[in-house]
Amino acid sequence: MKGTRAAQRYAKAIISLARDNNVAEEVKNDMDSIVKTITGSDDLKHLLNSPVVKNSMKKSALKEIFKSSNAVTLGSFDILLENNRINILNPVAKEYLKIYYGTSGMQQAIVTTAVPITKELEDKIQKKIKELTGAGAIIKNVIDDSIIGGFILRVGDLQYDASIARNLNNLKREFKDNTFVSKI
């Protein structure tokens, strides 16, 4: 991935500054918002990656979009713009979140479900996370009705797919394989 090493260095510097100012959690919330916003907006991605758009315009757009962000977060925009690295803002934010969760003893788990998770299901998921990783996690629920039912759990590089859609696809594949074999 382009700019990963640079993103790690910037993220480490930002988290160090945030911890020195006792605002690491606030900056984490800002970084989470940045990741969601950039990932969800092709226009913003194009703006940040465009060599034609002036840095002053990029800066004013970012400061307007993220105007309620912490001063450390806003300052990181300035540093990235000064060094012509604003195009790696999203990877920097992702790296910040990895470092934050890694050093706080917690990790983030993304649970994709067809409907919002209940407290009972959240407890079962926490149990599965502890079984898979040996530690608990902060659960983020993503709703995706295409999985029909069940859930898909992502913790770091691990993925546990207990969705009905996956089971149906496996069954469909099995029927196709058996049909093909029986025709021979």
Side-chain angles (χ1 to χ4, degrees):
M1 179 184 211
K2 183 179 156 192
T4 303
R5 294 182 93 191
Q8 290 171 344
R9 288 192 301 268
Y10 281 105
K12 284 178 184 176
I14 294 167
I15 201 162
S16 176
L17 182 61
R19 285 188 176 139
D20 289 347
N21 291 307
N22 295 320
V23 293
E25 174 124 8
E26 287 178 48
V27 175
K28 179 212 44 116
N29 295 333
D30 294 343
M31 294 299 172
D32 194 36
S33 175
I34 289 167
V35 169
K36 287 177 188 170
T37 305
I38 293 174
T39 302
S41 173
D42 288 336
D43 290 338
L44 185 54
K45 283 181 211 168
H46 293 305
L47 174 85
L48 295 175
N49 290 315
S50 174
V52 177
V53 178
K54 292 182 181 175
N55 279 348
S56 59
M57 191 167 211
K58 291 177 185 180
K59 181 177 180 177
S60 62
L62 288 170
K63 299 245 177 178
E64 183 61 32
I65 294 167
F66 303 108
K67 60 185 164 199
S68 63
S69 295
N70 186 282
V72 172
T73 305
L74 296 174
S76 68
F77 297 160
D78 293 334
I79 296 296
L80 289 168
L81 284 162
E82 280 177 32
N83 296 327
N84 291 319
R85 296 297 235 153
I86 198 65
N87 61 320
I88 64 167
L89 176 60
N90 200 28
V92 168
K94 287 178 181 178
E95 286 297 323
Y96 182 97
L97 293 172
K98 278 185 194 173
I99 294 167
Y100 180 85
Y101 288 120
T103 58
S104 67
M106 289 299 281
Q107 49 195 342
Q108 184 176 35
I110 299 172
V111 180
T112 306
T113 56
V115 295
I117 59 174
T118 62
K119 180 66 178 148
E120 182 182 314
L121 182 57
E122 186 174 336
D123 292 341
K124 287 180 182 177
I125 292 168
Q126 279 289 4
K127 187 176 178 181
K128 190 65 179 177
I129 292 168
K130 284 182 183 171
E131 181 184 313
L132 292 171
T133 66
I138 297 168
I139 294 178
K140 177 182 171 188
N141 187 211
V142 175
I143 309 299
D144 180 1
D145 59 356
S146 70
I147 70 166
I148 304 170
F151 64 91
I152 300 171
L153 171 64
R154 286 186 189 90
V155 183
D157 293 339
L158 295 173
Q159 178 170 314
Y160 179 79
D161 192 341
S163 67
I164 295 192
R166 184 200 61 140
N167 291 335
L168 289 173
N169 283 333
N170 288 346
L171 190 60
K172 182 176 160 183
R173 215 173 296 122
E174 192 175 311
F175 278 133
K176 281 183 179 180
D177 291 345
N178 287 338
T179 306
F180 180 73
V181 171
S182 65
K183 288 183 180 179
I184 295 178

